[in-house]
Amino acid sequence: MLWRKLPGARSAGRVQSVALRLVCDRELEIEKFVPREYWSLLTTLATPRGESFEARLVGADGKKIQRLDIGSSAEAEDFKKAIESATFTVTTVEAKPARRNPQSPFTTSTLQQEASRKLGFAPAHTMRIAQRLYEGIDIGGETTGLITYMRTDGVQIDPSAITQARKVIGEDYGNAYVPDAPRQYTSKAKNAQEAHEAIRPTDLSRRPASLKARLDNDQARLYELIWMRTVASQMESAEMERTTVDIAAKAGARLLELRATGQVVKFDGFLAVYQEGRDDDPEDEDSKRLPVINQGENLKRESLSVTQHFTEPPPRFSEASLVKRMEELGIGRPSTYASILQVLKDRGYVKLEKKRLHGEDKGRVVVAFLENYFSRYVEFDFTADLEEKLDKISNNEISWKQVLADFWKDFIGAVNDIKDVRVTEVLDVLDAMLGEHIYEPRADGGDPRQCPSCGTGKLNLKAGKFGAFVGCSNYPECRYTRPLASSSGASDRPLGKDPVSGLEVMVKAGRFGPYIQLGDAKDYGEGEKPKRAGIPKNMSPADVELELALKLLSLPRDIGPHPEDGEVITAGIGRFGPFVRHGKTYASLEAGDDVYNVGLNRAVTLIAEKDSERPEPPFRRGPRQACRRISGSRRHHHGEDRPLRRLCHHRRHQRNDPERQDAGDHHACGSHRPDRGTRNQGRRQAEARRQKDDNEDREEGCQAG
């Protein structure tokens, strides 16, 4: 149904679609976000002993001031004048003890999240490395697994492992870091099955340093992460002291309130080994350490910082934060997180850029299609509820047939509702749903759907072999096309004039992505097309300037003639990056090579290396290299000797077939005959005979071939 109604879309799995919706919903939030201006005032104060610290304005004239309350420069300037003329006195100093407890050992989800944050591993890569650690390495002549099973949502670990962890902690860090009683953990994840224990080293006495020589770099780093998390989970809590200092700033009749906060670690506990990473680290003032400040002291102002800020949209999901969100919603299972993310990237529904997942046009169209025609199946509660039903089926609490019957009744109804809907009607619905994303308001207030090329046509959503795109309603008279997202930095943008030809150089948006064009069609002769150059995938169209555009337009460029045959070697940028070409040989440039400046000697070397890597051509059967009898064996097509009982398929039944006995040692397929037409006819006859032989074998109950 998806293939027929939405060309270019490839799949929409139950869990995959909900994960894609999370990414696309976040894109929509970012697009609709309106920044809000606010100001902050940060004062640097000094104690009578000359020690400095920072305090923030939190109140004025008996009213509390929240982060966004100062919304204009006029208000900020008013508070600035008051603070500059104020005297400062410490009103209260409050110190409170606090404790931080360690996190539980790794589950599949938390391992993928932490490996992404700390090591930069994609979830799929994390699981591949964990699989190798689970399968083990050779230690003392025996293959030994280094970690427990890595697909789990359980946080409990075996009592013997807890005992060993406490012993290792005492040996490596001292008895002060060993808690009085072993720590026990329970899972907070929705739908947790807890069929396996948490991910941990099989033997905690194998310190990471002792295994570095036996593991590759990624394996060693992941093992160290698992080892540290397991050990830290059984260590003593960290003890802190959080201090809050309130300061009165009196400026004439006005009374302002400032506050300074800080934190001191009294005992590091598990922090000596491990601290969990965060996806989005906000500015944490509590982590700052304050000097000794006493109540009633007068303070001196050293400086005052007035800063303008704007609120920021919610951050895009990283792979780690998306896995975390899926786990919170009860979507998917530990074994599926990595594969789901990989499928979304492979399908072209999302792209990973600067460790953040961006919803692609193709993915947003699929989500819009599903939300309009199959809305029930991309709701978060549907997928989570179905996970619960699958658990009940596995526990024999409900009938699987009833679950399927209930699902099928509604699902086939939704399929039948759209079955007869034309593709153009589907595109019109999606065009209306995605209108805000596709058509941005114009600066001059004009119709955002007006075609910028012909001026009379209307832009609308169209579907092609490679997915949806925006095209003009006047097609084929007007052939204007562009990708869905007009805000991608790929809209038509002039860069300047080419100093040689005097033609305008532009960044343009095409159906298959952004590109650079020199001049317009009117600048060229009849039948000629404007010179164009693609923009490399790792480059944003918004970053392209005139100098770079001219370099790209100069490609492919001639480097010089090859010294052996005189054929010109060229350099260019292709699908897989920069390359040099000689005839049919393409050699990729290496790090440090510049496609715009690579010389002839270097190009010849790269091509020679590429030619040396080329495998020998496969054996080709000539007219006299078919099957032959050679002293008790039969030489087959590839020249190897085989026993007589393993006869060539052409001769399997030759002895009992009078029609073929006349052929002697020649194949019925005519492979010894030089005439091509005759050979092809012979091959067809041989194929028909083989089919007949196979049918006879089946009738006799034998296995053919």
Side-chain angles (χ1 to χ4, degrees):
M1 182 62 65
L2 193 65
W3 294 348
R4 291 177 179 178
K5 303 300 180 184
L6 206 61
R10 297 176 63 186
S11 67
R14 175 177 62 89
V15 180
Q16 163 198 323
S17 298
V18 181
L20 178 59
R21 182 189 167 188
L22 285 170
V23 175
C24 293
D25 284 355
R26 181 59 55 89
E27 290 289 340
L28 194 60
E29 288 181 60
I30 293 171
E31 288 171 3
K32 291 184 175 181
F33 180 80
V34 178
R36 179 178 171 184
E37 178 187 11
Y38 70 97
W39 293 74
S40 66
L41 289 89
L42 194 65
T43 307
T44 302
L45 302 171
T47 67
R49 291 160 295 282
E51 298 173 301
S52 300
F53 65 96
E54 293 179 340
R56 188 176 294 276
L57 179 66
V58 295
D61 305 320
K63 295 181 181 179
K64 289 185 177 180
I65 296 177
Q66 304 293 337
R67 188 171 71 102
L68 303 179
D69 286 349
I70 305 175
S72 68
S73 59
E75 292 178 87
E77 186 64 27
D78 184 46
F79 285 121
K80 177 185 177 184
K81 291 178 180 178
I83 292 175
E84 286 177 338
S85 61
T87 57
F88 306 91
T89 305
V90 178
T91 54
T92 61
V93 178
E94 185 179 15
K96 291 183 178 180
R99 290 171 66 88
R100 278 186 62 184
N101 296 322
Q103 291 81 20
S104 62
F106 280 133
T107 61
T108 303
S109 167
T110 53
L111 175 63
Q112 291 174 2
Q113 293 172 46
E114 281 293 87
S116 176
R117 296 178 188 125
K118 293 182 178 293
L119 308 179
F121 290 174
H125 184 63
T126 299
M127 297 312 292
R128 282 194 296 269
I129 300 300
Q131 179 74 40
R132 295 186 195 126
L133 294 175
Y134 171 69
E135 292 171 355
I137 61 172
D138 186 274
I139 298 178
E142 183 179 348
T143 301
T144 304
L146 298 181
I147 63 171
T148 55
Y149 191 56
M150 64 284 166
R151 294 182 179 89
T152 175
D153 55 14
V155 292
Q156 74 282 359
I157 60 176
D158 188 77
S160 62
I162 295 177
T163 302
Q164 189 180 35
R166 291 169 64 85
K167 180 182 177 183
V168 169
I169 294 166
E171 292 174 353
D172 291 6
Y173 301 96
N175 292 329
Y177 289 83
V178 182
D180 295 335
R183 294 186 181 273
Q184 303 293 336
Y185 296 93
T186 56
S187 177
K188 298 178 183 178
K190 190 177 181 180
N191 297 332
Q193 294 175 317
E194 299 187 272
H196 303 279
E197 64 174 314
I199 304 170
R200 62 170 177 85
T202 53
D203 186 352
L204 284 162
S205 66
R206 295 192 191 101
R207 272 74 166 178
S210 67
L211 293 174
K212 274 193 175 182
R214 299 174 180 267
L215 303 174
D216 65 33
N217 185 51
D218 286 354
Q219 291 172 347
R221 294 170 69 197
L222 189 64
Y223 179 80
E224 183 179 28
L225 192 70
I226 295 170
W227 187 91
M228 290 192 301
R229 176 79 168 226
T230 305
V231 170
S233 70
Q234 290 300 321
M235 292 180 75
E236 188 60 86
S237 301
E239 296 178 4
M240 321 276 191
E241 185 179 79
R242 291 178 180 154
T243 304
T244 303
V245 179
D246 288 328
I247 302 155
K250 189 166 180 59
R254 300 192 69 179
L255 181 63
L256 308 180
E257 299 173 32
L258 281 70
R259 178 169 294 165
T261 57
Q263 181 173 275
V264 177
V265 177
K266 295 290 188 180
F267 174 67
D268 56 2
F270 74 93
L271 295 176
V273 179
Y274 187 85
Q275 185 167 354
E276 188 172 46
R278 301 173 68 177
D279 293 305
D280 304 294
D281 287 325
E283 186 179 350
D284 189 4
E285 295 181 356
D286 290 344
S287 62
K288 297 176 181 178
R289 184 165 186 164
L290 295 176
V292 176
I293 304 172
N294 300 316
Q295 186 174 348
E297 285 185 335
N298 293 323
L299 305 173
K300 179 182 177 182
R301 179 178 62 83
E302 290 187 342
S303 63
L304 173 61
S305 172
V306 182
T307 309
Q308 182 187 33
H309 307 273
F310 291 92
T311 54
E312 295 182 354
R316 289 183 172 87
F317 285 107
S318 64
E319 290 183 302
S321 59
L322 182 59
V323 167
K324 182 178 181 180
R325 183 62 180 145
M326 290 168 62
E327 186 180 35
E328 291 170 352
L329 293 171
I331 299 169
R333 288 294 184 209
S335 59
T336 63
Y337 295 137
S339 60
I340 289 167
L341 294 180
Q342 193 61 46
V343 166
L344 292 179
K345 289 185 284 186
D346 292 344
R347 295 283 186 265
Y349 292 163
V350 302
K351 68 176 178 181
L352 190 64
E353 196 172 278
K354 296 181 180 178
K355 297 186 178 181
R356 295 287 172 173
L357 293 167
H358 295 245
E360 292 280 62
D361 290 343
K362 188 186 295 185
R364 299 188 69 165
V365 170
V366 170
V367 168
F369 175 83
L370 295 174
E371 286 183 329
N372 192 75
Y373 295 103
F374 296 90
S375 58
R376 176 73 185 112
Y377 306 102
V378 288
E379 292 175 359
F380 303 138
D381 61 339
F382 169 79
T383 301
D385 291 344
L386 190 53
E387 297 286 359
E388 290 183 2
K389 290 179 181 178
L390 295 174
D391 289 342
K392 290 180 179 179
I393 290 172
S394 66
N395 294 330
N396 203 27
E397 296 176 14
I398 57 176
S399 168
W400 64 268
K401 293 182 179 180
Q402 187 60 46
V403 171
L404 284 180
D406 294 342
F407 168 82
W408 184 251
K409 180 181 177 182
D410 295 332
F411 182 74
I412 195 62
V415 170
N416 290 332
D417 288 342
I418 191 181
K419 189 163 56 176
D420 297 326
V421 178
R422 296 170 63 88
V423 174
T424 52
E425 295 178 47
V426 173
L427 292 175
D428 289 342
V429 171
L430 300 184
D431 189 62
M433 288 184 68
L434 297 171
E436 292 184 5
H437 167 63
I438 300 173
Y439 313 106
E440 285 192 343
R442 288 171 47 174
D444 59 3
D447 184 3
R449 290 178 179 260
Q450 181 180 348
C451 177
S453 180
C454 67
T456 59
K458 296 292 184 182
L459 300 181
N460 49 40
L461 193 65
K462 297 181 180 293
K465 180 180 179 181
F466 300 100
F469 62 96
V470 174
C472 180
S473 59
N474 285 341
Y475 178 86
E477 288 78 14
C478 177
R479 294 180 174 270
Y480 175 83
T481 61
R482 67 165 174 82
L484 265 61
S486 60
S487 60
S488 62
S491 56
D492 293 0
R493 178 169 63 95
L495 300 176
K497 292 188 180 294
D498 176 21
V500 177
S501 64
L503 298 178
E504 189 77 32
V505 180
M506 296 168 287
V507 173
K508 298 180 73 69
R511 177 177 167 186
F512 302 106
Y515 62 92
I516 297 164
Q517 179 170 303
L518 179 64
D520 289 315
K522 65 180 185 299
D523 300 321
Y524 293 80
E526 187 176 350
E528 276 191 284
K529 291 185 178 180
K531 185 174 177 60
R532 294 175 176 176
I535 296 176
K537 289 185 178 180
N538 60 350
M539 187 180 298
S540 170
D543 296 335
V544 176
E545 299 299 338
L546 180 60
E547 183 181 357
L548 177 59
L550 292 174
K551 285 185 175 181
L552 291 170
L553 286 169
S554 70
L555 299 177
R557 69 181 185 88
D558 293 343
I559 299 176
H562 195 285
E564 292 181 1
D565 57 14
E567 187 174 351
V568 175
I569 300 174
T570 59
I573 298 177
R575 179 181 177 187
F576 302 106
F579 64 87
V580 290
R581 182 178 70 86
H582 171 245
K584 294 183 178 181
T585 301
Y586 289 80
S588 297
L589 296 185
E590 299 177 353
D593 292 328
D594 184 358
V595 67
Y596 308 110
N597 300 312
V598 64
L600 182 60
N601 291 340
R602 177 60 176 158
V604 170
T605 301
L606 290 170
I607 289 168
E609 290 174 354
K610 186 69 176 180
D611 285 335
S612 66
E613 296 171 2
R614 185 173 297 171
E616 290 295 324
F619 181 85
R620 298 187 64 182
R621 187 179 65 194
R624 297 189 178 276
Q625 290 172 323
C627 302
R628 299 176 182 177
R629 293 183 184 277
I630 301 178
S631 62
S633 67
R634 185 176 300 278
R635 188 174 294 275
H636 210 267
H637 293 310
H638 298 289
E640 65 270 22
D641 289 343
R642 298 186 181 180
L644 276 171
R645 61 186 179 82
R646 298 185 63 184
L647 296 179
C648 167
H649 55 266
H650 296 288
R651 291 177 174 271
R652 189 182 302 141
H653 301 279
Q654 180 174 331
R655 297 176 210 162
N656 300 321
D657 190 344
E659 294 181 8
R660 297 186 219 176
Q661 286 178 354
D662 296 337
D665 282 341
H666 292 273
H667 281 309
C669 67
S671 59
H672 293 271
R673 301 171 188 171
D675 180 73
R676 181 178 296 176
T678 308
R679 289 203 305 270
N680 291 340
Q681 181 181 1
R683 289 191 184 102
R684 289 193 293 270
Q685 292 172 352
E687 183 63 34
R689 287 180 179 135
R690 282 198 297 274
Q691 186 65 43
K692 178 183 176 183
D693 293 342
D694 289 343
N695 292 337
E696 292 174 357
D697 287 344
R698 291 192 193 98
E699 292 173 3
E700 295 171 4
C702 299
Q703 181 179 1

